[in-house]
Amino acid sequence: MLDFSNNRLAGSLPSTLANLSQLLVLILSNNNLTGVLSPIFVNKTSLVRITVNDNLFSGSIPTEVGRMSALTHFDVRSNRIDGIIPTELGLCSNLQVMDIFQNVRLKGEVPSELGSLSNLKMFNLAMTALTGTLPSEICKLQHLKTLEADCDKHLTCDCCSSCY
């Protein structure tokens, strides 16, 4: 477990982070970290939790996240993430929490592949630039208790628990 939350850290992630191949939990929330998330995802198939909320990370969500079969928590809220949600996230079969809230540069449609996340309990995609209709496959997830989106703005959602 590596927890450097609330430490006022600044700058980009060191490339040596890629050497921590047995890392299970990474918590870097509430800092001033910048750069892209890619170094976190190199050879980290055993990673169970990624919590990097409230930083200044930019760039897209790496497709390598899809290779993290053990991942249960993916929290990148309140950063500067852009691009689209990769369809590969739908391969994270153990994912329970996905929080991409307040990444206003995240765009495109929500991939229907996320409907295969059968263990998902919480999905927050509010305050993004996502558009279209939330796939019905996501609405049918049995364990999903919290689903928050900008359903009054750009995204149509028939099953959201909260709309912004």
Side-chain angles (χ1 to χ4, degrees), residues 51-122:
T51 304
V52 295
N53 60 286
D54 296 289
N55 278 289
L56 302 169
F57 288 117
S58 58
S60 59
I61 298 171
T63 58
E64 292 86 354
V65 177
R67 286 191 243 142
M68 300 179 160
S69 56
L71 192 64
T72 62
H73 288 72
F74 183 67
D75 184 351
V76 295
R77 74 180 180 269
S78 300
N79 276 286
R80 296 177 177 171
I81 305 296
D82 59 28
I84 61 170
I85 299 174
T87 58
E88 291 84 355
L89 275 175
L91 299 172
C92 297
S93 58
N94 289 306
L95 198 61
Q96 296 174 18
V97 174
M98 182 162 39
D99 197 342
I100 57 175
F101 172 79
Q102 202 170 14
N103 281 289
V104 297
R105 297 177 184 147
L106 195 60
K107 61 185 180 210
E109 295 190 359
V110 179
S112 61
E113 288 83 355
L114 300 185
S116 64
L117 299 173
S118 59
N119 291 305
L120 196 63
K121 296 177 182 176
M122 190 281 257

Side-chain angles (χ1 to χ4, degrees), residues 123-143:
F123 186 18
N124 188 346
L125 48 115
M127 296 186 71
T128 63
L130 294 167
T131 58
T133 302
L134 193 73
S136 61
E137 294 89 346
I138 294 172
C139 294
K140 294 175 185 172
L141 291 172
Q142 292 183 350
H143 298 292

Side-chain angles (χ1 to χ4, degrees), residues 5-6 18 26 96 99 106 113 152 154 159:
S5 57
N6 303 305
L26 178 64
Q96 296 174 18
D99 197 342
L106 195 60
E113 288 83 355
D152 293 336
H154 314 286
C159 60

Side-chain angles (χ1 to χ4, degrees), residues 25-39:
V25 176
L26 178 64
I27 304 172
L28 300 172
S29 55
N30 298 306
N31 286 294
N32 290 305
L33 295 168
T34 59
V36 296
L37 294 173
S38 298

